[in-house]
Amino acid sequence: MTWEIFIKWLPSFIEGAWLTLQLVGVSVVAGLIFAVPLGIARSSRHLAVRALPYGYIFFFRGTPLLVQLFLVYYGMAQFEVVRQSALWPYLRDPYWCAIITMTLHTAAYIAEIIRGAIQNVPHGEVEAARALGMSRAQALLHIILPRATRIGLPAYSNEVILMLKASALASTITLLELTGMARKIAARTYLHEEMFLTAGLIYLLIAFILMQGFKLLERWLRVDACQGR
C-alpha cells in the first residue's frame, strides 16, 4: 500500500475509529451505571433478591454478543407493538441497536465484576464500619463500594478492552465503525490485507491508550487510599 492511498483513506479510518470510540464509551459507561445495582443485588444473601439479576447475567453471559445484536436489530422489528411504540425510531437505527445491545451485554459482565469485588472486601473493614454505628447503606456507600472499586478496577479495564474488540461486530448491522470502514475501503481498493492491517493497528493503538489510562487511574486510587490512611 502506497502512502498516497493511506493518506487518501486516513480520514475515513479516523471516522470509523471515532464511531468505535462512541460505541465503546457509551456502552461501558451506561453498562457500569446499570451494573452497579445488579452487582449489589447479586451479592445479597437473600435468594429472592439475587435471583432476577442472576437470570439476566446468565442470559447475557451465556449467549454470543452477535446473536444478541441480531435479536435486537432484526428481531424487535417483528413485533407490531414495537413498531408502534415511541422506541421504534431508536430500535430501527443500527447505531442505537448497537449501543443498547452492547450496554446490556457488558452490564452483565460488569455486574459480576462488582459482585466479586464486593465479596472480596475484607470482612474486618465491614465489621469496623458497623462498629462505628454505620447503617448497612452507609457502610455500602462509604466503605464497601469505594474498596470494591479499587479491587474491581483491573477486571473492569479488561472488560473495556474486550468491548473495544467486540465492537467490530457492529459492522454486521451496517455500521461503518473501524472494521466496517476497513471492509468498505478494502472493497473499493482491493487491498484487503493492507486495510484490515491498518484497522488492526488502530485498534492496537486505542487499546494501548486505554490500558495506560487505566494504569494511571489504578495508581491514583492506590495513592489516594494511602493518603486516606
Side-chain angles (χ1 to χ4, degrees):
M1 180 173 64
T2 64
W3 285 108
E4 290 78 9
I5 296 177
F6 176 78
I7 293 172
K8 175 184 177 181
W9 293 106
L10 182 59
S12 297
F13 275 113
I14 294 175
E15 181 183 345
W18 174 239
L19 180 55
T20 293
L21 289 174
Q22 288 182 52
L23 294 174
V24 176
V26 174
S27 63
V28 297
V29 172
L32 175 60
I33 296 171
F34 187 37
V36 169
L38 286 174
I40 294 173
R42 274 285 288 129
S43 61
S44 173
R45 299 175 182 175
H46 304 289
L47 178 61
V49 175
R50 65 175 187 266
L52 185 60
Y54 174 81
Y56 171 88
I57 293 169
F58 179 78
F59 173 80
F60 280 97
R61 292 183 70 198
T63 55
L65 175 58
L66 183 61
V67 172
Q68 298 164 15
L69 195 60
F70 284 172
L71 284 173
V72 173
Y73 184 63
Y74 296 111
M76 299 300 289
Q78 306 301 313
F79 300 98
E80 181 69 22
V81 65
V82 174
R83 295 197 298 271
Q84 299 298 327
S85 71
L87 295 176
W88 179 236
Y90 299 98
L91 292 175
R92 70 182 180 184
D93 187 332
Y95 176 83
W96 287 108
C97 285
I99 289 288
I100 292 169
T101 307
M102 291 172 63
T103 297
L104 295 174
H105 180 85
T106 193
Y109 284 88
I110 298 173
E112 280 297 282
I113 292 171
I114 293 172
R115 178 197 63 79
I118 289 175
Q119 292 181 345
N120 278 284
V121 173
H123 190 63
E125 295 184 13
V126 181
E127 289 182 341
R130 298 304 301 275
L132 290 173
M134 289 187 179
S135 64
R136 290 184 180 274
Q138 289 174 325
L140 179 66
L141 182 62
H142 297 290
I143 302 298
I144 298 175
L145 287 181
R147 192 75 164 89
T149 299
R150 298 185 179 95
I151 295 172
L153 185 59
Y156 178 71
S157 66
N158 289 337
E159 175 60 18
V160 173
I161 300 300
L162 289 173
M163 288 306 298
L164 170 66
K165 294 185 289 185
S167 67
L169 294 174
S171 64
T172 61
I173 57 170
T174 73
L175 281 180
L176 292 178
E177 42 66 69
L178 191 50
T179 299
M181 189 63 74
R183 181 183 299 171
K184 175 184 175 181
I185 297 171
R188 293 185 177 184
T189 62
Y190 299 102
L191 298 172
H192 293 81
E193 183 177 353
E194 292 86 347
M195 293 305 170
F196 284 111
L197 178 60
T198 301
L201 291 175
I202 296 174
Y203 278 116
L204 190 63
L205 176 61
I206 296 172
F208 176 77
I209 293 173
L210 288 173
M211 286 187 291
Q212 295 304 310
F214 277 111
K215 284 182 180 179
L216 289 174
L217 182 57
E218 289 178 38
R219 190 178 307 163
W220 178 79
L221 286 175
R222 285 198 298 269
V223 171
D224 183 62
C226 291
Q227 290 176 346
R229 294 176 186 174

